[in-house]
Amino acid sequence: MPPRNKFITIIVTGVPGVGKTTVLNKTKEILEQENMEFKIANFGNYMLSVAIKKGWVKHRDELRHLPLRRQLELQEFAARALRLDAEHQLTNKGILFVDTHAVIKTPTGYWPGLPENVVKELKPDSIVVIEAPPEIIYEHHRRDASRKRSDIGGINQIGELLSIARVAAMSSAVLVAASVYVVENVEGKPEEAAYKLVALAKMLMEMNNKS
Ligand code: ATP
Ligand code: AMP
Ligand code: MG
């Protein structure tokens, strides 16, 4: 039996700019309305706080340009710190959503966001892949001035990254026997994807109670 957390753990992945954080902000609203116990944790925030303290970066989009060994160190720290925080905050009725990436596009190639050490620390029940058409994601990159995503490339490169992202999610899922659940983020309707995430969490909770 692969190890599991006492709470339901859902890792939310998807290419940069697809809308993970937007969808999870909507998910937060729904879960609050339904009085559910949850934590939404942004994996990049854990990496960023350490990287800023060490003076390695000033902005979150610089993280994927760091030397790989530094990214690995930050990644391992983030997984452990995030899991410990969730363990302190959640009971066996809770749901943890982790806002992160199954693949990181770096100057030296595609690199796993959820390699064995990380995915075995987080112990997900399910890995969600958020998707949208590459043209739409490219538009998000152009419109969102708060982020520096130009290194992700144009529509064709985003299309390739989308297919790598699916493969990467399944590869990580294999290591911990998690499901992979693909959710479309419809333009102008991020709440639809959010409702799907809540429904997935409820299904997983119900299955747990029956076991
Ligand atoms: P990153 O991996 O870089 O953190 P992300 O997947 O979290 O990216 P967001 O920051 O949530 O992506 O969204 C990127 C941009 O796309 C934002 O400007 C957001 O407002 C917009 N956006 C996201 N989802 C939708 C949607 N369903 N309809 C319209 N705009 C959207
Ligand atoms: P985000 O805001 O989700 O894009 O997170 C900021 C940055 O953190 C990302 O662009 C990556 O460089 C880094 N990051 C987030 N999750 C991971 C992960 N699982 N592995 C490696 N780097 C990550
Ligand atoms: Mg985000």
Side-chain angles (χ1 to χ4, degrees), residues 80-202:
R80 188 168 169 74
L82 194 161
R83 200 253 306 152
L84 286 172
D85 281 353
E87 261 175 20
H88 283 123
Q89 291 167 23
L90 294 172
T91 71
N92 59 358
K93 293 188 172 59
I95 309 160
L96 170 66
F97 290 94
V98 182
D99 181 346
T100 188
H101 298 255
V103 62
I104 309 294
K105 185 174 177 175
T106 79
T108 52
Y110 299 122
W111 179 66
L114 303 168
E116 189 169 9
N117 59 319
V118 171
V119 79
K120 286 191 171 165
E121 184 80 58
L122 297 177
K123 299 189 283 289
D125 297 276
S126 187
I127 301 178
V128 168
V129 184
I130 308 267
E131 295 188 345
E135 303 77 24
I136 300 277
I137 299 171
Y138 182 64
E139 259 316 293
H140 288 175
H141 291 186
R142 282 171 20 96
R143 281 206 310 257
D144 184 1
S146 70
R147 300 291 302 259
K148 301 171 191 163
R149 299 185 180 104
S150 58
D151 58 305
I152 303 302
I155 293 168
N156 289 342
Q157 287 159 303
I158 293 170
E160 177 169 300
L161 190 55
L162 279 164
S163 56
I164 305 264
R166 272 193 178 196
V167 171
M170 195 70 235
S171 306
S172 298
V174 165
L175 300 172
V176 289
S179 67
V180 168
Y181 195 78
V182 179
V183 173
E184 173 92 357
N185 177 23
V186 178
E187 192 64 355
K189 295 179 179 169
E191 66 282 359
E192 286 186 4
Y195 277 110
K196 286 188 181 152
L197 293 192
V198 173
L200 171 66
K202 286 181 179 170

Side-chain angles (χ1 to χ4, degrees), residues 62-68 71 104-110 151:
E62 293 167 23
L63 286 169
R64 61 182 173 270
H65 299 279
L66 283 172
L68 280 186
Q71 292 189 55
I104 309 294
K105 185 174 177 175
T106 79
T108 52
Y110 299 122
D151 58 305

